[in-house]
Amino acid sequence: KAGVTQTPRYLIKTRGQQVTLSCSPISGHRSVSWYQQTPGQGLQFLFEYFSETQRNKGNFPGRFSGRQFSNSRSEMNVSTLELGDSALYLCASSLAAGTAGNTIYFGEGSWLTVV
Amino acid sequence: TQLLEQSPQFLSIQEGENLTVYCNSSSVFSSLQWYRQEPGEGPVLLVTVVTGGEVKKLKRLTFQFGDARKDSSLHITAAQPGDTGLYLCAGGLMDSSYKLIFGSGTRLLVRP
């Protein structure tokens, strides 16, 4: 069974640009969540989607947004990029929403460098 | 506010030694997951514990969830160089949110 797939794996953007990252969850998984990982802050929750609805959002500015499609695939977008947005962006999927006894699997991540 | 305190942050040991990593919180978690992450890759799930007092074993790794579901530990017996990596604990909160709270991670180096 294929795991969580994220594209692109690596990208470099310039300050002020915008970026879209894509995530395909494990087949049959309906919940997709996004995390940002940096050396200083560790893993920080961005948002979670279930059945095309955003269920929860972390403490990130409005420049960070996302969406989920009817096939459960998800995209996240960051507009007006800043140097501090350089990070590993991780997508995770699970069968259902919520975390009680719900195993969450991560993709390999998209490395974003803002210059 | 860091809800999940993980310790130690760094650990360098000799092959064959034992070690324990701890995750502690004042919050109650509905579940707790342990991940291992290699440089440049995403976290790989090792185990999920959901019941207070639960103990799970995965070869040389033993995971325990505290009775009150506020803490957890990972014990590695006879560590090997292949165990080197970043170990992360992550707790699912008991409230209505749908997110994992991650510890800061333990970077383990096992020297041959």
Side-chain angles (χ1 to χ4, degrees):
Chain A
K1 179 162 151 176
V4 179
T5 305
Q6 291 187 245
T7 57
R9 283 278 281 141
Y10 305 94
L11 67 166
I12 300 174
K13 290 285 188 178
T14 305
R15 269 184 304 175
Q17 286 187 313
Q18 66 94 25
V19 66
T20 298
L21 308 177
S22 180
C23 173
S24 293
I26 292 172
S27 178
H29 285 194
R30 296 172 62 192
S31 174
V32 173
S33 51
W34 289 87
Y35 291 79
Q36 181 197 64
Q37 187 176 27
T38 59
Q41 298 297 318
L43 269 147
Q44 303 281 317
F45 172 80
L46 280 158
F47 26 65
E48 182 190 14
Y49 289 88
F50 182 77
S51 293
E52 302 177 67
T53 302
Q54 186 181 92
R55 294 297 182 113
N56 199 19
K57 192 178 191 313
N59 294 324
F60 280 83
R63 301 185 296 106
F64 291 80
S65 63
R67 58 178 176 168
Q68 186 180 33
F69 303 96
S70 58
N71 61 359
S72 294
R73 193 176 66 84
S74 177
E75 289 181 348
M76 68 162 281
N77 184 278
V78 187
S79 62
T80 320
L81 285 165
E82 301 176 359
L83 294 179
D85 296 332
S86 295
L88 177 65
Y89 289 88
L90 292 160
C91 171
S93 79
S94 59
L95 273 173
T99 56
N102 190 26
T103 299
I104 297 174
Y105 299 89
F106 284 84
E108 293 188 321
S110 292
W111 278 101
L112 170 64
T113 300
V114 182
V115 298
Chain B
T1 303
Q2 181 65 28
L3 293 182
L4 202 50
E5 298 289 338
Q6 190 172 341
S7 63
Q9 284 190 313
F10 303 98
L11 199 51
S12 178
I13 61 172
Q14 204 69 37
E15 181 178 0
E17 292 184 356
N18 301 332
L19 66 116
T20 303
V21 178
Y22 299 93
C23 269
N24 296 289
S25 176
S26 57
S27 301
V28 178
F29 293 105
S30 59
S31 66
L32 199 134
Q33 304 184 0
W34 284 92
Y35 293 87
R36 182 174 146 208
Q37 186 176 22
E38 302 284 350
E41 304 293 331
V44 175
L45 179 69
L46 294 173
V47 77
T48 300
V49 285
V50 297
T51 306
E54 183 176 3
V55 177
K56 279 192 175 179
K57 292 193 175 184
L58 185 66
K59 295 184 180 178
R60 294 176 293 101
L61 278 59
T62 302
F63 304 87
Q64 186 164 7
F65 202 11
D67 291 340
R69 295 198 293 194
K70 294 182 179 181
D71 56 87
S72 180
S73 64
L74 156 62
H75 182 79
I76 301 179
T77 303
Q80 298 176 1
D83 295 328
T84 294
L86 177 66
Y87 289 83
L88 295 157
C89 61
L93 292 173
M94 291 290 286
D95 61 17
S96 60
S97 67
Y98 300 102
K99 62 182 178 182
L100 288 175
I101 304 297
F102 277 85
S104 54
T106 295
R107 199 163 294 279
L108 172 66
L109 171 64
V110 182
R111 306 184 307 274

